[in-house]
Amino acid sequence: MTASVFFGCTFIAFGPAIALFLFTIARDPLRVIFLIAGAFFWLCSLLLSSLVWFITVQISNKESSSQQKGLLIFGVVLSVLLQETCRFGYYKLLKKANEGLLMLSAEETMPISIRQLAYVSGLGFGFMSGAFSMVNILADSVGPGTIGIHGDSQHYFLSSAFMTMAIVLLHMFWGVVFFDSCEKQHWWSLAVVVISHLLVSCLTFQNPQYVGSLVPTYIIVFLLGLWAFFCSGGSLRNLKLCLTCKDKDFLLANHRPR
Amino acid sequence: EAAYGQEMNIQFSDVSCNSVAQKIYVELNNTVPCVRLLNATHQIGCQSSISGDTGVIHVLESEADLEWPLSKGPNPPYMVLLESSLFTKSIMMKMKNASSRVAGVVVVQKTSPPEFSPHTTCPNENTGVYTETYDHNLAHCNTTVWNPRGNGLSYEEFDSPVFSLKEDNETEVIKQCYFDHNRVVNGSGLQYPLCAMQLFSHMHAVTDTATCMRRSSMDFSTSPVMVCDPLGGYNVCAFIRPYNSTAFGHKENESVVIAAARLDSRAFFLEDSTGAEGSVSGFVTLLAAAQALREATQEAPPTRNILFAFFHGEVFDYIGSSRMVYDMKNNMFVIDLDNVHSILEIGQVAVRSGTNLFLHSDPVSRRNNTVHDEVGVKCFYLWHASLTDFSQPLPPSSFQRLLRARAIPGIVLADHQTDINNRYYESFYDNAAHLNLTYPSNLSPEEQLEFVTDTAKSLTEVATAVARALFKQAGGNNSQVNKINADPKTVTQMLYGFLVRSNNSWFQAVMAPELKDILQPNPPQYYVGVAKSSHQANALTYLVQYLLANLTGTATNLTQSQCKKPDELPNESTYLYSYLWVQGVVPPNSTQRESFCVRTAVRLVKAVSPAFDLGDYISKEYSTWTKSQWKFIKARIFLVASRDLEMLTLGVGVAVLFTSLLVTYFVRTKADVLFSSVREPNNAAY
């Protein structure tokens, strides 16, 4: 397809991520650093899982398609587990780093809270994951042709873009929920995060029935978004206050002298 | 291209392991493009834009169907796919004039039309001997139009790419894609996505030879980039009594009869040049005559020497013969024009009606009595061929270039009395089928090689007549003449090798071991190709060289290392002979070939137009043909989506971006309130 499809798909896939970066992260250099470090950790998990994938593909039987399919499922599950492991590893690293930073800095309070770190690292994971999912497809969307000459569905580019947007948002929500449950030692919610990640990844096996994979994914996005909202201190009352523009009164009323 | 080893261009083959690209594009591998050639005044051929030309595929069913791509079709530009029977000048010119709606043309080779010649009606009219000064009445084919069927398509200039495909699996894929997506249903509009094709054949050179040569030399870097390359190759020459190859210029008391034939041919798509009647008939006959003369000239050498000259590049304004004449005039050849006694040239001789052969001569030079008498003598030696009308000029032939330099007596032997019999002159239909070269269906390839066809018998007769006439012309003993006979088996094997399959056992036996890869399961290429700076010739030149060596040379007992350096031996001399190590046959009970060393007088003489040595790129005297260089040539098909869907995607993307920017801004400004439920007293950083 052409430049219009290229830009359309880029904006769909990375629109929310760009907006979040511009408005919440770009001003604060510390957040930028942690974002990039988060992206790097995701990259490490990808490196490990691709190494395992490469080795298993080489030793497998390339002719047998059922074996290849099984190998693909194994690869996806392994990659998800490795990503979550790296997220846990990043959490541990950040805890240690925060203590160290606190000792070094002159202020009494931590320069960045663990909740913000959760959000930033989740977004970092999302950026890198989205980039790896989407960049190859974007490069091919610039050419004059579209998918379909071998009978595949024409909507490949669009659905890939929407899927990538979902993944980016999901990684952000997972980051928040994951760090929160690690703080509070709620291991069952940790398991829910991992299971939902597995579920979303396995939903993509439904492709090319794009409706079958995109709709449940967006439902999960919505649910996880709600959960992350509540985890990070939101509530229905606050939301109503904001939306009906009564927030100024609330702030004045809650203003406490220090 | 790269497999033929002809060109110096680098071909980039786009091997991508990207599976997304594989789902979008189907690459077409067996395509033959039409490329750009330039001469002193024009550029001819085809050109695409630098990023390729894309068009919706339309399969043309008849000439009336042309309205759809030219005016009625709603999704221009179109890529028109037509069968070879529709590849006519009128259709091509209509498409050329509508270049905004026609992005390119693809020709599928199927059945041959009854007649088709893309060459001009008067071939090489400006570089032959018949100029305004030589004879005003005979110039520009005023009296005889040699190629009346010629439509000049090969010499037109096209702004859009034109490719040729064979009828094979790839073409089936294209037609299937067209029938699935592009057929109009009951007059209603076409449903997107549509099947489209993209052709890349961007040529670097423009305007004419002088411009592209100037641009090539303007680059002052250490490795100059050539934009175009001169056409040329090698002539194959053999004397029956060889001279010292380092002594150039006039040879005292030596008189030489030249027996000439043309090697090359062309077609609209240069890589598809066949040339069965146009060139193969002539040079195969001459090769057979050379073999027939071997015994007689070795037993009783005639008084005059005979030079067998096979000229290359004659189609493009007589490159080979003009070079030889130039070398002779400037003392760069072993003999000069004073040594030439007469010339007998073999033109197109395979499409004979009955047993007729005709002798063509030049009326202007015959006004001189000595020349007239000599020609009469020659005609007498070829007594069973008929003379053409005395006032008729020569057909296009290498002899014309010699006449331009000096009035030498000579004859051109041909199967046509006035205009040529070749209905497919310089086109890709001039192949084995045109010569009725048919073999019984139950023969294996090796049996086909040995089978003597009628065409071979007919050419053998011509070769015998030519050999005897040459022998008598060279002053040979009359009593020996009847022993001179051409061998029909050799002729039929040569016809098989040159027109059906060059990879056969006989050609394998006569070739050198390092050259055996040029033998392919199809006939060789007859297009002269680009003159290379290294001493490499194209497949056809090597085949003729080694065949002539085999047919006129002698086998020696030298070993392979001796064959490389024969000067160390007492009786061998590389000044007179060239020594070639050839593969030899495989004996029945073994797998090793019996290779041996052939001592032969055959030499390859460089055949590049003198215009490039002189630096005169606007020369009217010599050939100035060059071929453009290019980076890559490829073709691919894919589906295209409608503009509406693309704009929709862009719109959705922009909407998503704006919405997310707005929402994020809103959330950020209200963040204090939104995330306030778990506010801790000493935590103030949000």
Side-chain angles (χ1 to χ4, degrees), chain A residues 2 23 116 140 146 233-234 238, chain B residues 18 639 646 653 668 673-674 677 685:
Chain A
T2 49
F23 283 127
Q116 285 168 24
D140 281 316
T146 182
N238 294 341
Chain B
N18 185 348
L639 294 185
E646 293 175 9
R668 190 187 72 145
V673 178
L674 274 178
S677 306

Side-chain angles (χ1 to χ4, degrees), chain B residues 664-684:
Chain B
T664 314
Y665 182 72
F666 172 76
V667 166
R668 190 187 72 145
T669 46
K670 311 278 188 175
D672 297 351
V673 178
L674 274 178
F675 300 111
S676 65
S677 306
V678 199
R679 182 192 274 243
E680 275 142 47
N682 40 357
N683 199 344

Side-chain angles (χ1 to χ4, degrees), chain A residues 30-94:
Chain A
L30 209 56
R31 292 186 193 179
V32 173
I33 292 171
F34 283 117
L35 179 91
I36 294 177
F40 176 73
F41 267 76
W42 188 88
L43 210 55
C44 284
S45 82
L46 183 71
L47 179 69
L48 283 170
S49 50
S50 58
L51 205 64
V52 174
W53 166 260
F54 182 72
I55 294 172
T56 46
V57 162
Q58 292 299 323
I59 61 179
S60 77
N61 176 10
K62 293 213 173 97
E63 302 298 317
S64 151
S65 70
S66 62
Q67 215 183 66
Q68 293 298 313
K69 179 115 187 162
L71 207 57
L72 191 65
I73 298 177
F74 163 71
V76 167
V77 169
L78 179 75
S79 174
V80 168
L81 293 175
L82 276 173
Q83 283 176 46
E84 298 303 330
T85 312
C86 277
R87 208 196 297 271
F88 187 69
Y90 191 43
Y91 166 75
K92 281 287 180 214
L93 188 71
L94 284 176

Side-chain angles (χ1 to χ4, degrees), chain B residues 190-407:
Chain B
L190 291 171
Q191 293 282 349
Y192 272 98
L194 295 175
C195 197
M197 190 189 291
Q198 187 175 34
L199 299 177
F200 294 85
S201 67
H202 180 74
M203 303 283 142
H204 292 331
V206 277
T207 321
D208 56 29
T209 297
T211 311
C212 90
M213 282 305 198
R214 186 189 77 221
R215 287 183 186 175
S216 303
S217 62
M218 250 165 44
D219 194 336
F220 291 114
S221 67
T222 49
S223 55
V225 172
M226 296 296 290
V227 174
C228 61
D229 303 304
L231 295 184
Y234 287 89
N235 295 331
V236 181
C237 295
F239 286 93
I240 54 172
R241 244 187 314 112
Y243 300 113
N244 184 338
S245 61
T246 51
F248 294 144
H250 185 74
K251 295 273 181 314
E252 281 299 322
N253 298 333
E254 286 288 336
S255 178
V256 179
V257 175
I258 300 182
R262 177 180 104 172
L263 280 181
D264 71 318
S265 190
R266 72 161 294 184
F268 182 81
F269 299 103
L270 289 173
E271 307 288 316
D272 261 344
S273 308
T274 48
E277 156 81 339
S279 55
V280 176
S281 62
F283 75 73
V284 162
T285 311
L286 191 57
L287 282 170
Q291 183 195 34
L293 276 174
R294 171 162 75 172
E295 300 244 346
T297 51
Q298 275 174 358
E299 280 178 13
T303 39
R304 300 195 181 98
N305 207 342
I306 303 178
L307 166 63
F308 295 107
F310 294 86
F311 294 115
H312 219 340
E314 298 298 278
V315 173
F316 292 103
D317 289 338
Y318 304 121
I319 297 178
S321 50
S322 66
R323 181 67 194 214
M324 176 168 277
V325 172
Y326 175 80
D327 285 348
M328 282 188 193
K329 282 204 303 203
N330 292 309
N331 292 337
M332 295 196 290
F333 194 64
V334 289
I335 57 172
D336 76 349
L337 284 167
D338 293 325
N339 290 120
V340 176
H341 171 261
S342 56
I343 171 167
L344 170 62
E345 178 167 347
I346 309 183
Q348 304 176 65
V349 291
V351 180
R352 294 156 70 185
S353 51
T355 51
N356 291 337
L357 269 182
F358 298 95
L359 305 172
H360 297 258
S361 58
D362 170 48
V364 177
S365 62
R366 274 210 328 269
R367 291 178 198 149
N368 176 331
N369 282 333
T370 21
V371 174
H372 181 80
D373 293 339
E374 256 323 309
V375 174
V377 168
K378 280 186 98 77
C379 296
F380 172 68
Y381 291 145
L382 284 162
W383 53 271
H384 52 289
S386 331
L387 287 169
T388 56
D389 188 15
F390 263 19
S391 58
Q392 184 174 268
L394 285 174
S397 51
S398 316
F399 176 32
Q400 288 198 22
R401 287 305 300 199
L402 275 129
L403 270 182
R404 250 174 109 118
R406 178 146 327 173

Side-chain angles (χ1 to χ4, degrees), chain B residues 57-130:
Chain B
I57 297 180
H58 178 73
V59 173
L60 204 68
E61 272 142 35
S62 64
E63 184 149 0
D65 197 19
L66 207 53
E67 275 202 27
W68 181 262
L70 291 185
S71 47
K72 280 198 328 199
N75 330 91
Y78 285 93
M79 189 69 71
V80 178
L81 200 85
L82 37 83
E83 286 191 5
S84 43
S85 51
L86 288 170
F87 184 55
T88 60
K89 175 133 187 192
S90 64
I91 292 185
M92 289 301 287
M93 295 316 276
K94 280 187 198 163
M95 289 201 283
K96 176 179 162 168
N97 290 335
S99 58
S100 58
R101 284 186 62 105
V102 174
V105 181
V106 176
V107 180
V108 177
Q109 289 175 15
K110 239 176 141 174
T111 54
S112 44
E115 61 180 37
F116 178 72
S117 171
H119 210 71
T120 48
T121 48
C122 192
N124 290 343
E125 68 183 294
N126 295 321
T127 42
V129 72
Y130 298 109

Side-chain angles (χ1 to χ4, degrees), chain B residues 564-592:
Chain B
K564 287 198 174 68
K565 294 199 173 123
D567 283 323
E568 295 161 8
L569 297 165
N571 289 336
E572 315 288 357
S573 156
T574 48
Y575 290 127
L576 292 177
Y577 296 102
S578 60
Y579 293 84
L580 305 170
W581 183 257
V582 300
Q583 288 197 110
V585 293
V586 181
N589 286 341
S590 88
T591 51
Q592 274 291 93

Side-chain angles (χ1 to χ4, degrees), chain B residues 148-164:
Chain B
R149 301 174 197 87
N151 54 29
L153 208 53
S154 293
Y155 289 84
E156 287 287 339
E157 186 197 335
F158 293 98
D159 281 329
S160 41
V162 180
F163 276 53
S164 160

